[in-house]
Amino acid sequence: MRLHDTMTGAVRAFVPVTPGHVSIYLCGATVQGLPHIGHVRSGVAFDVLRRWLLAKGYDVAFIRNVTDIDDKILHKAADAGRPWWEWAATHERAFAAAYDALGVLPPSAEPRATGHITQIVELIERLIDTGHAYTGGGDVYFNVQSLPEYGALSGHRIDDVHQGEGVATGKRDQRDFTLWKGAKPGEPSWPTPWGRGRPGWHSECVAMAHEYLGSTFDIHCGGMDLVFPHHENEIAQARAAGDGFARFWLHNGWVTMGGEKMSKSLGNVLSIPAVLQRVRPAELRYYLGSAHYRSMLEFTEVALADAARAYTGLEEFLHRVRTRVGAVPIGTWTDAFAAALDDDLAVPAAIAEIHAARADGNRALDAGDRETAMEKASQIRAMMAILGCDPLDERWELRDETVAALGALDVLVRWALEGRTAARAERDWAAADAIRDRLGAAGIEVTDTADGPQWELHHPAAPSPVEA
């Protein structure tokens, strides 16, 4: 297996530190708001990496952190008039739901920054003791010039470094970066030997990676926007503290719209629930995982629809085989598929192999060659399972049935509400009330709004013992 390492800028052979075991750290969400498809692309891309390693027989420790204390979280919570911890927890649940909806395997552990203050403080103490960090104005800063190798990941020259933190009076050099922020009125803080405060973003991942994966681990993943300053500053702290840290650095490309990175500041976001109104979860996962992880994924409605059709074509073939030949087991992937994923997770080539198997299978099925058709179908299931969207997996089939049922229910309810609206227009109140009562008995609550009647599905109340 060969992977592209951002540090060396080359695709090189991957050999884990410990034979048979792979350790991976993925920079997870800063839970400041609701997730959009750009946020979850890394989750899908590196879920494929994890599934492929598992399929190859490795034991995989996969850590994905949650940044639950951050300037943006504090500001947005304050603007909304909500406690910061509630704001963070609410959006952490939204991210968890998005990952689950797209079939991303849960991590081995999902540590929160606020749950590892002790480890963060201990890391900063080591950096201060070794002369790589210093206190100033209640904050703690990392001395960038104390580490000659600084800039090795991003290629930044020391003279060109801009941390994006603004001007800080406590810094000896504006190229230095913040490890710990001194307490401010109204903000959460924790006690430390140098005073109360809260962690800086760059220290959190270093402390948590060390806690769960040790001083040296195999792979560090994240979006390409994290290369600088976040990952560069992680490396600086880890190396200054004496850790080997990550041996491979993998970075995924952005989801773009109109050639620009999808972000809330640009206003060109697409929330997961909104997209799932147009395509099924498995189709969205297929779309997000279809491009090479290092490439940009330009979002268009046409591209999304094309991906959904491609997925549906595979699904329909498997259903044909199941109907005409019998239950389709999960077989084994092809050599070409394995070669593609071993070549820096070349998913586009892997998908081409899957569709080639489908074409062969359809021809075999049309020719009455049931054995070949079943072989191709079982191969497709195995390969699609690695991509996390096997159409015959119970997870997707059950969810698809639920989506289809809700869609059918929506058509029927709206038809009934149209009849109710017509009755109200004719002042036939008895007929209108009868329609509403029948819907209510079925657990459908109707609310009249300025935009017309809206409905919600509620479980019908259980009858009381007296009524029973």
Short mmCIF file of all heavy atoms in Angstrom, two decimals, residues 235-257:
data_model
loop_
_atom_site.label_atom_id
_atom_site.label_comp_id
_atom_site.label_asym_id
_atom_site.label_seq_id
_atom_site.Cartn_x
_atom_site.Cartn_y
_atom_site.Cartn_z
N ILE A 235 2.95 19.89 14.69
CA ILE A 235 4.26 19.25 14.55
C ILE A 235 5.30 19.97 15.39
O ILE A 235 6.12 19.33 16.07
CB ILE A 235 4.70 19.27 13.07
CG1 ILE A 235 3.77 18.40 12.23
CG2 ILE A 235 6.15 18.79 12.92
CD1 ILE A 235 4.01 18.53 10.73
N ALA A 236 5.25 21.29 15.38
CA ALA A 236 6.24 22.06 16.13
C ALA A 236 6.20 21.71 17.62
O ALA A 236 7.25 21.47 18.24
CB ALA A 236 5.98 23.56 15.94
N GLN A 237 5.00 21.65 18.17
CA GLN A 237 4.88 21.33 19.60
C GLN A 237 5.34 19.90 19.90
O GLN A 237 6.06 19.65 20.87
CB GLN A 237 3.43 21.48 20.05
CG GLN A 237 2.92 22.91 20.00
CD GLN A 237 1.43 22.96 20.19
OE1 GLN A 237 0.94 22.90 21.32
NE2 GLN A 237 0.69 23.06 19.09
N ALA A 238 4.88 18.96 19.05
CA ALA A 238 5.21 17.55 19.30
C ALA A 238 6.72 17.33 19.21
O ALA A 238 7.31 16.67 20.08
CB ALA A 238 4.48 16.66 18.28
N ARG A 239 7.35 17.90 18.19
CA ARG A 239 8.80 17.70 18.03
C ARG A 239 9.56 18.40 19.16
O ARG A 239 10.56 17.86 19.67
CB ARG A 239 9.24 18.23 16.67
CG ARG A 239 8.62 17.47 15.49
CD ARG A 239 9.20 16.06 15.35
NE ARG A 239 8.48 15.27 14.38
CZ ARG A 239 8.63 15.34 13.06
NH1 ARG A 239 9.48 16.21 12.53
NH2 ARG A 239 7.95 14.53 12.27
N ALA A 240 9.11 19.57 19.54
CA ALA A 240 9.77 20.29 20.62
C ALA A 240 9.63 19.54 21.94
O ALA A 240 10.51 19.63 22.81
CB ALA A 240 9.18 21.69 20.75
N ALA A 241 8.53 18.79 22.09
CA ALA A 241 8.32 18.01 23.31
C ALA A 241 9.01 16.65 23.26
O ALA A 241 8.95 15.89 24.23
CB ALA A 241 6.82 17.82 23.54
N GLY A 242 9.64 16.34 22.12
CA GLY A 242 10.38 15.08 22.02
C GLY A 242 9.61 13.93 21.40
O GLY A 242 10.09 12.80 21.40
N ASP A 243 8.43 14.21 20.84
CA ASP A 243 7.63 13.15 20.23
C ASP A 243 7.95 13.03 18.73
O ASP A 243 8.23 14.03 18.05
CB ASP A 243 6.14 13.43 20.37
CG ASP A 243 5.65 13.26 21.81
OD1 ASP A 243 6.44 12.77 22.64
OD2 ASP A 243 4.49 13.60 22.08
N GLY A 244 7.86 11.80 18.23
CA GLY A 244 8.01 11.60 16.79
C GLY A 244 6.78 12.05 16.03
O GLY A 244 6.84 12.48 14.89
N PHE A 245 5.61 11.90 16.68
CA PHE A 245 4.30 12.29 16.16
C PHE A 245 3.97 11.48 14.90
O PHE A 245 4.34 10.32 14.81
CB PHE A 245 4.27 13.81 15.90
CG PHE A 245 2.91 14.42 16.12
CD1 PHE A 245 2.20 14.18 17.28
CD2 PHE A 245 2.33 15.24 15.16
CE1 PHE A 245 0.96 14.75 17.49
CE2 PHE A 245 1.09 15.83 15.36
CZ PHE A 245 0.40 15.58 16.53
N ALA A 246 3.26 12.05 13.94
CA ALA A 246 2.74 11.28 12.81
C ALA A 246 3.83 10.96 11.79
O ALA A 246 4.66 11.80 11.47
CB ALA A 246 1.61 12.05 12.14
N ARG A 247 3.76 9.73 11.24
CA ARG A 247 4.73 9.33 10.22
C ARG A 247 4.23 9.64 8.81
O ARG A 247 5.01 9.74 7.88
CB ARG A 247 5.05 7.84 10.36
CG ARG A 247 5.71 7.51 11.71
CD ARG A 247 5.94 6.01 11.88
NE ARG A 247 6.86 5.47 10.89
CZ ARG A 247 6.50 4.65 9.92
NH1 ARG A 247 5.23 4.28 9.80
NH2 ARG A 247 7.38 4.19 9.07
N PHE A 248 2.91 9.70 8.65
CA PHE A 248 2.30 10.08 7.38
C PHE A 248 1.28 11.19 7.63
O PHE A 248 0.55 11.16 8.63
CB PHE A 248 1.56 8.90 6.73
CG PHE A 248 2.43 7.95 5.96
CD1 PHE A 248 3.25 7.04 6.63
CD2 PHE A 248 2.46 7.98 4.58
CE1 PHE A 248 4.05 6.16 5.92
CE2 PHE A 248 3.26 7.11 3.86
CZ PHE A 248 4.06 6.19 4.53
N TRP A 249 1.22 12.14 6.70
CA TRP A 249 0.22 13.21 6.76
C TRP A 249 -0.64 13.14 5.50
O TRP A 249 -0.14 13.30 4.39
CB TRP A 249 0.90 14.58 6.86
CG TRP A 249 1.55 14.82 8.19
CD1 TRP A 249 2.79 14.42 8.58
CD2 TRP A 249 0.95 15.47 9.31
NE1 TRP A 249 3.02 14.80 9.88
CE2 TRP A 249 1.91 15.45 10.35
CE3 TRP A 249 -0.27 16.10 9.54
CZ2 TRP A 249 1.68 16.02 11.60
CZ3 TRP A 249 -0.52 16.67 10.78
CH2 TRP A 249 0.45 16.62 11.79
N LEU A 250 -1.94 12.91 5.70
CA LEU A 250 -2.88 12.81 4.57
C LEU A 250 -3.87 13.97 4.66
O LEU A 250 -4.47 14.19 5.72
CB LEU A 250 -3.65 11.48 4.60
CG LEU A 250 -2.99 10.27 3.92
CD1 LEU A 250 -1.65 9.93 4.57
CD2 LEU A 250 -3.93 9.06 3.97
N HIS A 251 -4.06 14.67 3.55
CA HIS A 251 -4.97 15.82 3.52
C HIS A 251 -5.95 15.71 2.36
O HIS A 251 -5.54 15.46 1.22
CB HIS A 251 -4.17 17.12 3.41
CG HIS A 251 -3.38 17.44 4.64
ND1 HIS A 251 -2.05 17.11 4.78
CD2 HIS A 251 -3.75 18.02 5.81
CE1 HIS A 251 -1.62 17.48 5.98
NE2 HIS A 251 -2.63 18.05 6.62
N ASN A 252 -7.23 15.88 2.68
CA ASN A 252 -8.25 15.82 1.65
C ASN A 252 -8.55 17.20 1.08
O ASN A 252 -8.39 18.22 1.75
CB ASN A 252 -9.55 15.22 2.21
CG ASN A 252 -10.18 16.07 3.29
OD1 ASN A 252 -9.79 15.98 4.46
ND2 ASN A 252 -11.16 16.90 2.94
N GLY A 253 -8.98 17.22 -0.19
CA GLY A 253 -9.35 18.46 -0.85
C GLY A 253 -10.69 18.98 -0.36
O GLY A 253 -11.44 18.28 0.33
N TRP A 254 -11.00 20.20 -0.75
CA TRP A 254 -12.24 20.84 -0.33
C TRP A 254 -13.41 20.40 -1.21
O TRP A 254 -13.24 19.92 -2.32
CB TRP A 254 -12.12 22.36 -0.47
CG TRP A 254 -11.07 22.99 0.38
CD1 TRP A 254 -10.66 22.59 1.61
CD2 TRP A 254 -10.29 24.16 0.06
NE1 TRP A 254 -9.69 23.44 2.09
CE2 TRP A 254 -9.44 24.40 1.16
CE3 TRP A 254 -10.24 25.01 -1.03
CZ2 TRP A 254 -8.55 25.48 1.18
CZ3 TRP A 254 -9.36 26.07 -1.01
CH2 TRP A 254 -8.52 26.30 0.08
N VAL A 255 -14.61 20.64 -0.70
CA VAL A 255 -15.79 20.69 -1.55
C VAL A 255 -15.95 22.15 -1.95
O VAL A 255 -15.97 23.04 -1.09
CB VAL A 255 -17.05 20.20 -0.81
CG1 VAL A 255 -18.29 20.34 -1.72
CG2 VAL A 255 -16.89 18.74 -0.39
N THR A 256 -16.03 22.41 -3.25
CA THR A 256 -16.09 23.79 -3.73
C THR A 256 -17.41 24.04 -4.46
O THR A 256 -18.08 23.12 -4.93
CB THR A 256 -14.93 24.10 -4.68
OG1 THR A 256 -14.97 23.20 -5.80
CG2 THR A 256 -13.59 23.95 -3.98
N MET A 257 -17.78 25.31 -4.53
CA MET A 257 -18.92 25.76 -5.34
C MET A 257 -18.46 26.99 -6.11
O MET A 257 -17.97 27.95 -5.51
CB MET A 257 -20.11 26.12 -4.45
CG MET A 257 -20.75 24.92 -3.77
SD MET A 257 -22.18 25.40 -2.76
CE MET A 257 -23.34 25.89 -4.05
#
